[in-house]
Amino acid sequence: MPYITLKENLPGITGLLDYRQDTALPIRQLTQILLRGESTLSEGERELIATVVSNGNACRFCTAAHTAAADLYLEDAAIARQVKNNIATASVSDKMKALLTIAAAVQKSGREVTPAMVQTAKNEGATDKELHDTVLIAALFSLYNRYVDGLATVTPEEPAFYHRLANILQQKGYMPSEDRYATL
């Protein structure tokens, strides 16, 4: 049961964003830029970063939501499962392995990122912007994970919920709209 009163039909971060729409707007704007804005990383790759971080933080809601979004964008449910289990053996490029390794380090602490990790990513073709955005996405999702779990939001168990949410995120992005959660 959530520690604060939230709308029952809006679990996880959806209820929190609805609760404080004034703080939700800059959160949504930053998320939209990082996960759906112009980037040399695909939307699916950026969703994988969110998945790895959320999984490392054991945030069930965010892990399920961003796994479903990554699955939808990548059109392969095995990839998110693989990166959650073992980045090094996952079916992603060596550049993504290096970036996901950095994201996993940031999930623990920004100080866990080493010069060797950064050099490996650069050697695999990662740009400064990709490195920047990986670290920022990882830091942002660590915040989200703590926000969701720190207020004990509801976490649906049924996978169909997360598939519906992933479709909303793909179709509408992260910005608010009047009918945003009508199909949840």
Side-chain angles (χ1 to χ4, degrees):
M1 175 160 209
Y3 297 142
I4 61 175
T5 304
L6 301 170
K7 290 182 181 174
E8 289 182 24
N9 65 323
L10 297 177
I13 200 165
T14 62
L16 296 171
L17 295 174
D18 180 73
Y19 178 80
R20 279 288 309 261
Q21 293 182 23
D22 57 336
T23 59
L25 183 58
I27 288 171
R28 288 178 179 279
Q29 289 170 327
L30 183 55
T31 308
Q32 180 70 23
I33 290 166
L34 290 171
L35 295 184
R36 296 295 179 270
E38 189 174 313
S39 177
T40 51
L41 297 175
S42 73
E43 287 92 346
E45 289 170 330
R46 289 176 278 168
E47 289 288 351
L48 285 178
I49 295 168
T51 298
V52 164
V53 171
S54 298
N55 187 64
N57 283 324
C59 180
R60 292 183 315 128
F61 180 87
C62 295
T63 300
H66 295 285
T67 296
D71 291 350
L72 187 61
Y73 273 103
L74 298 172
E75 299 178 348
D76 185 349
I79 296 172
R81 186 176 59 251
Q82 291 169 4
V83 299
K84 289 185 291 187
N85 290 328
N86 187 340
I87 294 168
T89 61
S91 299
V92 295
S93 70
D94 288 337
K95 177 175 85 171
M96 272 313 296
K97 289 177 185 177
L99 292 173
L100 291 168
T101 299
I102 289 170
V106 170
Q107 172 263 314
K108 294 175 189 136
S109 167
R111 290 189 173 102
E112 293 284 321
V113 178
T114 66
M117 288 176 185
V118 172
Q119 192 58 55
T120 297
K122 286 184 175 187
N123 289 349
E124 295 300 339
T127 65
D128 285 351
K129 184 177 179 189
E130 290 170 339
L131 286 161
H132 172 277
D133 289 358
T134 295
V135 169
L136 186 52
I137 292 167
L140 188 62
F141 274 86
S142 288
L143 176 146
Y144 294 159
N145 302 156
R146 287 157 179 81
Y147 187 33
V148 166
D149 289 341
L151 288 168
T153 63
V154 172
T155 300
E157 296 295 325
E158 60 278 358
F161 169 83
Y162 298 101
H163 294 296
R164 289 190 306 272
L165 181 57
N167 279 306
I168 291 168
L169 294 175
Q170 185 182 50
Q171 293 167 11
K172 298 183 180 193
Y174 288 89
M175 294 303 292
S177 66
E178 287 296 316
D179 65 340
R180 171 164 207 77
Y181 300 117
T183 58
L184 274 181

